[in-house]
Amino acid sequence: MEYDSCFKKRNDEYVLNLYKKCQHFCKKINNHFCEEDLINIEEDFPIKRISKKKKLSGEKCNDESRIISPYNKFKYDTFLIIDAIQNSIETRFMKNENLLKDLNWLDPRSFAVFNNTELLPVSALSTICKISGLNHQVNLTELKQFSSQYEHFIP
């Protein structure tokens, strides 16, 4: 999953589609288990009554509407989860972005990319070489040689 795909999912159209899929899933489960009393999933979220706050003396304004529709609560919770995922990705992986890019060049699936085009970016493996104290140019040369012969090693 790409990191940018989380941003695309944070919109009303995506949430409405997801909400409809959840309702459809509940209907299918209920139809499948209609003869059994043990399983019954509500097809829509229940509307919960939220208690009103008392006004203090001297207050003139009322609280805003405190009833949240089931769909809006679902939308709020979905956005909350997507935001938590985005935050987790940023804190765990984005500070090591260059190292992860370098590790990608060591994946055999990426060998075909620079074997066919002979294009291996100059910045490839630079973070790994910097951390390990190895010669960057020597490692690039060895990686190119190994990647060109890799298919011969695998049966």
Side-chain angles (χ1 to χ4, degrees), residues 46-76:
I47 297 175
K48 294 183 180 179
R49 183 180 172 274
I50 301 174
S51 61
K52 291 185 178 183
K53 292 182 179 179
K54 287 187 177 183
K55 275 190 193 179
L56 297 175
S57 62
E59 281 189 27
K60 295 181 181 177
C61 62
N62 293 325
D63 284 344
E64 293 181 11
S65 175
R66 301 197 27 99
I67 297 176
I68 299 174
S69 71
Y71 170 73
N72 284 335
K73 178 159 178 25
F74 178 80
K75 183 169 116 177
Y76 170 78

Side-chain angles (χ1 to χ4, degrees), residues 23-39:
Q23 287 179 325
H24 180 70
F25 174 76
C26 292
K27 286 178 185 176
K28 283 179 84 173
I29 294 297
N30 286 338
N31 288 339
H32 184 71
F33 293 108
C34 64
E35 295 175 3
E36 296 182 28
D37 292 334
L38 297 174
I39 298 176

Side-chain angles (χ1 to χ4, degrees), residues 105-140:
W105 291 112
L106 300 176
D107 183 3
R109 292 175 289 191
S110 65
F111 290 170
V113 172
F114 56 85
N115 278 340
N116 293 338
T117 60
E118 294 295 324
L119 295 175
L120 183 63
V122 178
S123 63
L125 303 180
S126 61
T127 305
I128 291 176
C129 291
K130 187 177 181 181
I131 291 171
S132 61
L134 298 173
N135 185 326
H136 181 248
Q137 197 58 40
V138 170
N139 280 335
L140 285 179

